[in-house]
Amino acid sequence: DGGITQSPKYLFRKEGQNVTLSCEQNLNHDAMYWYRQDPGQGLRLIYYSQIVNDFQKGDIAEGYSVSREKKESFPLTVTSAQKNPTAFYLCASSWAGTSTGNTIYFGEGSWLTVV
Amino acid sequence: GENVEQHPSTLSVQEGDSAVIKCTYSDSASNYFPWYKQELGKGPQLIIDIRSNVGEKKDQRIAVTLNKTAKHFSLHITETQPEDSAVYFCAARSGNTPLVFGKGTRLSVIA
């Protein structure tokens, strides 16, 4: 089954802990993205990567870290420095390399709650 | 950078009526404008998109129009059905930069 798989679907974090959200895609897409969604809000970009071993900060990168060691994987770590991490996290991917914009597809999301 | 404004934030329509959601963008270089539908607890699903060399695109009950001069684009849903109830997001991007999203419109279709 092709697509973008995020895990876990639900995650609880204690204060001061780092947690890692997994994102795997088998679409052979070049680019991958992480967005954060708060209730009643739009999607805000955390990090993105257009090629393996390279990534860029988005609008709200503070308190987060990523890696892109493999084309199909783009894990997001929510560190203890992120003061308000409770949110819905969305991973996405797309082709890269044209000038007209490529369709971005989303995973089903991961809910992170601080307890 | 790009900024996308979306209106209204909530919209209620009677089943069978039309719904229109409008977005404006700030970056004249933006050339790709998708619309996503998001159901509760799920990831956004692409429903229609338009590129800057096209003024209008239609797919069954859904259409999108683009006015590049005025920098706005709109989603039109005709003959609305209860299953159209969801949150809809517009977005814009230039080339292969990441999408910038509007804040969303919660559409309720009342049977």
Side-chain angles (χ1 to χ4, degrees):
Chain A
D1 211 19
I4 302 168
T5 302
Q6 290 188 238
S7 62
K9 180 68 176 180
Y10 301 96
L11 186 60
F12 298 90
R13 190 193 95 170
K14 293 183 179 179
E15 297 277 354
Q17 273 186 338
N18 292 354
V19 294
T20 297
L21 306 180
S22 170
C23 179
E24 303 276 331
Q25 54 96 2
N26 61 5
L27 302 168
N28 201 30
H29 283 167
D30 306 295
M32 298 186 74
Y33 313 83
W34 276 105
Y35 288 88
R36 169 179 170 146
Q37 185 175 26
D38 294 284
Q41 299 294 314
L43 285 69
R44 293 184 291 168
L45 183 67
I46 305 172
Y47 268 99
Y48 66 104
S49 168
Q50 296 189 323
I51 194 169
V52 174
N53 292 323
D54 188 41
F55 48 82
Q56 287 77 41
K57 292 182 179 180
D59 301 318
I60 55 166
E62 185 175 352
Y64 299 97
S65 66
V66 292
S67 62
R68 188 85 188 278
E69 297 178 1
K70 298 186 294 183
K71 187 176 184 179
E72 60 270 25
S73 178
F74 192 41
L76 174 73
T77 296
V78 184
T79 75
S80 57
Q82 171 50 240
K83 297 307 177 189
N84 186 23
T86 297
F88 189 48
Y89 290 86
L90 288 158
C91 179
S93 69
S94 72
W95 294 107
T98 74
S99 61
T100 55
N102 289 296
T103 302
I104 290 180
Y105 298 93
F106 284 86
E108 287 296 291
S110 293
W111 292 93
L112 173 62
T113 303
V114 173
V115 295
Chain B
E2 176 66 275
N3 182 52
V4 177
E5 300 281 343
Q6 182 172 349
H7 300 279
S9 57
T10 60
L11 178 61
S12 291
V13 299
Q14 292 290 329
E15 183 178 359
D17 287 351
S18 295
V20 181
I21 303 170
K22 299 181 179 181
C23 289
T24 60
Y25 61 99
S26 60
D27 186 355
S28 56
S30 287
N31 55 9
Y32 176 64
F33 308 92
W35 286 88
Y36 289 85
K37 176 183 180 181
Q38 186 179 30
E39 297 178 346
L40 190 62
K42 296 189 175 182
Q45 298 291 313
L46 179 74
I47 55 171
I48 195 167
D49 58 12
I50 192 167
R51 290 173 171 77
S52 60
N53 57 343
V54 176
E56 183 174 357
K57 184 176 178 180
K58 195 171 183 179
D59 183 4
Q60 299 183 341
R61 295 186 297 109
I62 294 173
V64 57
T65 58
L66 171 65
N67 183 330
K68 285 220 76 181
T69 302
K71 290 192 281 190
H72 66 70
F73 56 113
S74 300
L75 177 71
H76 304 253
I77 306 174
T78 59
E79 300 171 24
T80 53
Q81 301 167 3
E83 51 265 39
D84 294 329
S85 297
V87 178
Y88 291 82
F89 290 97
C90 63
R93 74 189 296 196
S94 169
N96 283 311
T97 59
L99 282 172
V100 176
F101 286 84
K103 289 189 183 295
T105 296
R106 182 173 298 279
L107 173 65
S108 299
V109 180
I110 303 163

